[in-house]
Amino acid sequence: MAMVCESTFVGRRHEVAAARKALARARLLTLTGTGGVGKSRLALKVADAMRGAFRDGVEVVELATLEAGELLASSVATDLGLRDGESDPMALLIDHLAERRTLLVLDNCEHLLEECARFVARLLREAPKLRVLATSRQRLGVYGEQVLTVQSLPVPDPGLPPHVIARHDAVRLFADRAAGASRGFELTRENAADVAWLARRLDGLPLAIELAAARLRAVPLERLVSELDERLRDEGLTSGTSPAPLPSRQATLGATMEWSYRLCSPGEQRVWARLAMFPGGAGLETAEAVCSGGEVDRFEVLDLVAGLVDKSILVGERADGGVRYRMLDTIRAYGYDRLTGEEERELRERFIAHHHDVVIRNRIHETVPDQLERYRLLRRELPNLRAAIELCLGGAGPPAVGLEMAAELWSFWLLSGAATEGRYWLERGLERVPAPSRGRATGLWVYSMLALRQGDAAAAAPRLEECRALVRREELADVLPYAVRACGVAAFSAGEPERGLALLEESLALHRSAADLDGVAFGLYYAAAYGSRQHPELAAAYGEEMLELCEAHQAPVTRGYAQLVLGIALWNLGDARRAETLVSEAAGFTRDIDDKWCLTQCVEVLAWAAGARGDHERAAGLLGAAHALWQAVDASPIRLSYHAPWHEQCAARAVRALGVRAYEAAFREGARLGLDPRLLVDPGRAAGSARVREGMGRNR
């Protein structure tokens, strides 16, 4: 029984060549065309073919699952691996792309047409080396835009000789997919005319052809042609006995999907419609939990999903958590329209409840062994989590649940670099839940911490003040330590380190008295980090305690941060050797999970260590790598009190030892490597200075 499907790219040689030629002379190319015509696959093929032409790479961003246009810039920044360090992700993107020769592919823009047009216009204006390849059912309407309309695949006349029929892309696509559906299928002299007839009936639309080919699992080709001809005739899409379909390709696709839908069993039809609720696809356990009910028994879902895979309605893809099932956007939209009113209401309730449970069960800030698995799961589920929060905050679910989900994801927003998105959902949730409650108080302190992380103290201050007042008035003892911690970070941001440290220690004491293990772990982190400059011995003690706690509970993500803050404290105490060992290990782990915020600080500290040993060329290279990473997280070592003095001292010493020209050369080489963190620990792939490579290799 087929559960995972992969397909090859067929045809489009002329379109690929035309797109490459257009992108060579224009900075924006939009592939337009009707749904199901193959715009996305063509864009990916073009992007792959042009990788060599773009020195700084090709970036592909899928927009079909993004429903909030306000999150466009922050979502693209996150997909490009940029940590959302400030409240303006657009500025972060512009700074990152300004001097880079990059191809940015934006797939499925039509539902965010105005937002995408403004976004692309500004990027092209302020990043002169950037080129954009977009797919959309409509042109973006941006100045200088080139448009390539993606047509249906060429279809042959059934009366042509078989060898001529076989050369047409529509026929080749059908034969390729048919061979996957029906083992042993081949295009022959005997069946070539039937395949050509079928391709013409389907107007050469790739998605319609694939849906039809999947039917060969159940019926022979002759029966398939008869069924499809009858269905299209019922829809008025053929005239008499003429094989030529009427002009509306979208009507042809709709009729083909209606035909496919009617060929599904009642259970398959219901699962198709219910899985359409999931913009990010779903694993089998999720499908069983949410899509069962009524006429669909939970134990039947596996077989029903397998049937939909066989019919090419679902695509099964291997992921870290097993096989994940998704639909093409056009098929998903069709399925969603098949939901009945009462069924849709019940499905929404189950969808929201399931994803609320996903958030609560996968808090990354809990000090547990599966932190990394939780983080990866939340990344996979993000489109569905967004949909669940939107349902709650958009009026189709309980707003308090949406606010709680947004707030409980606080550690995910920080680790994934999506502070702007977190603030967006929290702001909407706080507007919808104005009454005093524990949920509102939590949302207020989380919003404040995200704003402070972005350097937006002005936005954090009123929310934090309201949180403190609410906590006192409602006697929310469990929220109090988090509110006090946020006040401590705010004090450091305002240039009051002693007051800030006192507040952080007060928060830590409150967590201890409440036996809140997770609160203690993060309380130790903040106290160790912010106290490392003025009180390094105290900070080292906090760091040691945090590391012991993480090791005792086998919490790998939190352990990386413990190693970092302990390393910084030890550095301030003069124990450079142990500091470097700890930070090197943290750098390796955070590189592997793509946590650029921790990695950036680690590389910075490793530069100080190299300079202290007199290895100034390596120090300059690592400062360059750190510089590129600081830019990626839209931050600066100068903005962090525990980094600034050592950064300036390290750079000054390296310049004196090497001279300006040699320092700048090593710095530039390090900056070139910095945005590919794997190169920092893989000397075999790193280029440039041998001593920089050697030094980086010591940190594997």
Side-chain angles (χ1 to χ4, degrees), residues 524-553:
L524 290 168
Y525 166 75
Y526 280 100
Y530 283 97
S532 60
R533 183 67 180 167
Q534 284 81 17
H535 303 282
E537 291 184 356
L538 179 64
Y542 286 146
E544 292 278 14
E545 183 182 353
M546 182 183 179
L547 184 57
E548 290 174 4
L549 187 154
C550 293
E551 290 177 341
H553 293 272

Side-chain angles (χ1 to χ4, degrees), residues 119-146:
F119 175 76
V120 169
R122 186 175 174 191
L123 276 185
L124 292 176
R125 185 169 62 249
E126 303 196 40
K129 298 180 181 179
L130 176 69
R131 275 172 164 70
V132 176
L133 173 60
T135 72
S136 174
R137 295 188 188 182
Q138 297 174 257
R139 63 172 61 220
L140 299 187
V142 174
Y143 178 77
E145 177 183 27
Q146 295 290 306

Side-chain angles (χ1 to χ4, degrees), residues 278-360:
F278 293 79
L284 181 61
E285 289 186 6
T286 297
E288 290 173 337
V290 179
C291 298
S292 59
E295 63 269 42
V296 178
D297 187 276
R298 184 184 184 105
F299 297 104
E300 295 177 324
V301 172
L302 171 61
D303 289 338
L304 296 174
V305 164
L308 291 172
V309 171
D310 284 343
K311 294 175 176 66
S312 292
I313 304 303
L314 289 178
V315 177
E317 298 176 329
R318 299 194 185 280
D320 292 337
V323 179
R324 193 170 185 84
Y325 301 97
R326 65 171 181 84
M327 300 178 192
L328 293 178
D329 195 47
T330 305
I331 294 176
R332 179 172 161 255
Y334 180 89
Y336 194 83
D337 287 342
R338 308 278 82 73
L339 288 172
T340 63
E342 182 63 20
E343 180 185 30
E344 183 177 1
R345 184 190 63 78
E346 294 177 355
L347 180 63
R348 283 177 173 174
E349 290 179 357
R350 292 197 299 271
F351 184 87
I352 291 170
H354 173 80
H355 288 96
H356 175 262
D357 186 56
V358 166
V359 170
I360 299 303

Side-chain angles (χ1 to χ4, degrees), residues 63 65-78 84 86-90 93 111-116 118-119 122 386 390 393-394 418-428 431 454:
L63 299 179
T65 62
L66 181 67
E67 298 181 2
E70 299 91 335
L71 298 177
L72 177 59
S74 62
S75 296
V76 174
T78 301
D84 191 359
E86 292 188 351
S87 56
D88 185 2
M90 192 69 192
L93 277 167
H111 64 300
L112 301 172
L113 200 63
E114 293 183 5
E115 293 91 342
C116 284
R118 290 194 296 270
F119 175 76
R122 186 175 174 191
R386 287 169 173 160
E390 177 61 45
L393 302 184
T420 294
E421 178 168 356
R423 289 178 65 183
Y424 168 80
W425 295 119
L426 286 162
E427 192 159 11
R428 287 185 59 188
E431 289 175 359
Q454 295 184 305

